Amino acid sequence: ILPLISKSHHPRAIEAATKYFLTQAAASTLILFSSMTNAWHTGQWDITQLTHPVSCLILTSAIAMKLGLVPFHFWFPEVLQGSPLTTGLLLSTVMKFPPITLLFMTSHSLNPTLLTIMAISSTALGGWMGLNQTQIRKILAFSSIAHLGWMTIIVSYNPKLTLLNFYIYILMTMTIFLALNTNKVLKLSTLMTTWTKNPPLSTMLFLTLLSLAGLPPLTGFLPKWLIIQELTKQSMTPAAMMVSILSLLGLYFYLRLAYCATITLPPHTTNHMKQWHINKPTNTSIAILALMSTMLLPVSP
């Protein structure tokens, strides 16, 4: 992924690639270190059978670092902002696969208290820090951090829900990134002027953003609903209540994006060029992904 980030030779891109490389290398080293500590104390090299508390702690923080959970989240918005939209899509979906797999495999040996604290602070900070942003890639980075909070809070109780949440998150993020890439949008101010380019695509972007916020008739509500239900079953109602309330912060900036994507006219109409329709048809994959990321709620178990 490093050549893809630093492809544009812009200083910002090189900085992003360097940050990405350093954090991922440090996290990988920590994972090796945790398995080594465990082997030193127990003679067991299998990473799925960690029993020593220190190595469990180190592994939890290493996976959090790879994923970009609070308090190891600082690299993610910077890296996403420094890379183009297609690379940003890869970074926020495909590059999260290996750490999520690790999280899934080792979920029973991780420290549940630490995971819950990290998850709640991730949903909080992902919401708070996204409020004041104008760069769309940074907003999507903070939304990713908030969603990862939802995934990690449930992983020690029901890892399958983590995976479900992850897959649905990937669907919605792919739709949003591809739609933005079709319209060539990077900032909120340019998003305001794209409604003339491709109105159907803007409408689907609007719905997908609301789905990412987790509003009920759309797909994004499904994982949140199941996670809240599972947390209540595990008698963790306060935690469920906190993440639900904190996801309202995210709802605010999704609504802001959705508002800019659909119904906003810029105030200065005199010196402003309206962009014309894009004549090339919308990509089929965007259409399929947009349908899936808004209409999947009826398939809920």
Side-chain angles (χ1 to χ4, degrees):
I1 195 93
L2 289 171
L4 284 177
I5 302 174
S6 55
K7 189 171 64 181
S8 64
H9 299 299
H10 189 275
R12 192 73 195 264
I14 308 294
E15 181 195 348
T18 315
K19 279 180 180 169
Y20 186 74
F21 172 70
L22 289 174
T23 42
Q24 296 300 320
S28 306
T29 320
L30 276 176
I31 289 175
L32 286 173
F33 182 59
S34 76
S35 60
M36 215 168 66
T37 319
N38 195 55
W40 180 261
H41 284 285
T42 59
Q44 171 65 266
W45 277 102
D46 192 349
I47 200 169
T48 53
Q49 294 179 16
L50 290 182
T51 44
H52 196 258
V54 176
S55 53
C56 292
L57 272 174
I58 296 174
L59 186 71
T60 312
S61 52
I63 293 176
M65 201 165 171
K66 271 200 171 302
L67 283 172
L69 282 171
V70 175
F72 310 104
H73 65 287
F74 296 102
W75 62 274
F76 190 52
E78 301 290 325
V79 171
L80 215 60
Q81 182 55 35
S83 49
L85 277 170
T86 37
T87 315
L89 169 65
L90 288 177
L91 275 173
S92 44
T93 56
V94 181
M95 298 313 290
K96 300 256 188 250
F97 253 117
I100 285 276
T101 317
L102 263 178
L103 191 67
F104 183 75
M105 280 166 55
T106 58
S107 56
H108 53 88
S109 61
L110 298 176
N111 186 333
T113 326
L114 184 63
L115 279 177
T116 310
I117 292 169
M118 278 193 198
I120 291 175
S121 51
S122 291
T123 41
L125 266 165
W128 257 310
M129 294 178 73
L131 292 181
N132 220 1
Q133 304 291 339
T134 53
Q135 298 285 346
I136 291 179
R137 283 169 296 184
K138 275 198 174 174
I139 293 182
L140 288 170
F142 286 118
S143 109
S144 176
I145 292 169
H147 274 272
L148 283 166
W150 279 89
M151 288 174 221
T152 43
I153 198 166
I154 198 68
V155 76
S156 43
Y157 306 104
N158 194 340
K160 289 201 173 73
L161 278 186
T162 301
L163 284 190
L164 172 79
N165 193 349
F166 183 57
Y167 295 145
I168 288 181
Y169 167 72
I170 280 189
L171 270 181
M172 299 187 289
T173 313
M174 278 180 76
T175 315
I176 286 174
F177 269 105
L178 291 172
L180 293 175
N181 196 33
T182 311
N183 281 343
K184 298 282 175 282
V185 179
L186 294 174
K187 291 200 292 286
L188 280 179
S189 52
T190 45
L191 184 62
M192 287 180 184
T193 61
T194 53
W195 63 274
T196 48
K197 270 189 181 179
N198 197 336
L201 188 62
S202 293
T203 316
M204 283 323 286
L205 181 61
F206 171 73
L207 284 174
T208 314
L209 281 163
L210 293 185
S211 179
L212 200 54
L215 289 184
L218 306 164
T219 310
F221 178 58
L222 169 63
K224 285 194 162 69
W225 177 27
L226 295 175
I227 285 173
I228 291 173
Q229 192 180 348
E230 182 64 32
L231 282 176
T232 322
K233 274 183 200 161
Q234 301 287 351
S235 66
M236 284 186 55
T237 319
M241 202 169 77
M242 279 176 80
V243 282
S244 323
I245 289 172
L246 288 168
S247 67
L248 289 177
L249 291 168
L251 176 65
Y252 175 77
F253 60 77
Y254 291 125
L255 279 176
R256 190 167 150 213
L257 272 173
Y259 179 72
C260 288
T262 45
I263 47 182
T264 313
L265 269 175
H268 45 90
T269 41
T270 44
N271 54 3
H272 171 71
M273 283 287 290
K274 277 207 176 63
Q275 285 147 331
W276 292 104
H277 273 251
I278 302 174
N279 282 327
K280 64 174 193 293
T282 304
N283 200 330
T284 326
S285 59
I286 299 184
I288 296 167
L289 283 168
L291 277 174
M292 286 175 75
S293 56
T294 48
M295 308 280 184
L296 278 188
L297 190 64
V299 302
S300 59

